[in-house]
Amino acid sequence: MKIYGALSCLFLATMSALPAMGKDRPAIVLVHGAWETATVWSEVAAGLKRDGYKVHTIELPGRPGNELPIQKVTFDGYREAVSSAIAHENEPVVLVGHSFGGFVISAEAEAQPKRIKTLVYVAAYLPQDGQSLLGLATTDPGSKAGAALVIQKEKGLAAIKYDSRGGLFANDAPAEVAGAVAIGIVDEPLAPLATPVHLSKEKFGSVDKVYIHTARDQVVSPPFQAAMVKATPVRLELSVDTGHTPFITNPPALIAAIGKAAD
């Protein structure tokens, strides 16, 4: 009996040290930003799953993996992709948006505020009512993205100059990692970037928010991140010492930060 009791205590202690199962934690939905695909979340998604979370990664329309003719790609379609991913979740979810993904998760919060536990902005745009990505981004004096942006109106695309990609998106990474980031960047449908988001205090304003700052960011500058949070206060602010793509250059730090935000 003493041995049985000792084994029981050991079992309980071991179980208490393990991550909670997914059913005990909110589902986490990862939404990539402009010029990205869902593959950017691979390491973060795997880490969050190891920690006991159920994870959805969204492939926004109009890029490899979710192809759609450019003329049919809309901002509403981006939001609807998120809605579809959470449609079968019984409990409120955590929406994580990177960069332009901040617009997408904000729009989903306006549409379905009761379906969302927390909005997590990772180096993301935190918009106010009536703002568009192109409008808001041009007010960031510390961003280096403008010089690398190429608008192709005739094609309905926005592109990033190839020789600027690695240094802009992964300035904190070794050259070979920055090179891989450059290869992975895709052209972005233009229409969603120019579409204003409509937000209200009653809906979007009622949803819990967390901001994860990126201390060495050259796309969404750290001072601009701080200014957006000042304009739209959040419950919790966290920071990772990376450039714009922490899911590539420091996944463990981002996994830990998202975990804090989610719980």
Side-chain angles (χ1 to χ4, degrees), residues 26-30 41 44-50 53-57:
I28 296 178
V29 180
L30 303 173
W41 294 113
V44 169
L48 291 170
K49 289 176 182 178
R50 287 193 298 269
Y53 295 98
K54 181 179 180 181
V55 180
H56 300 279
T57 55

Side-chain angles (χ1 to χ4, degrees), residues 10-40:
L10 178 61
F11 175 77
L12 290 172
T14 301
M15 290 301 293
S16 67
L18 292 174
M21 297 301 291
K23 65 180 181 180
D24 298 321
R25 287 183 156 179
I28 296 178
V29 180
L30 303 173
V31 183
H32 65 75
W35 303 290
E36 298 169 350
T37 67
T39 59
V40 299

Side-chain angles (χ1 to χ4, degrees), residues 179-203:
V181 169
I183 293 171
I185 287 175
V186 298
D187 292 344
E188 182 71 21
L190 183 59
L193 304 182
T195 302
V197 65
H198 296 291
L199 307 171
S200 67
K201 292 181 179 179
E202 294 76 18
K203 295 180 179 180

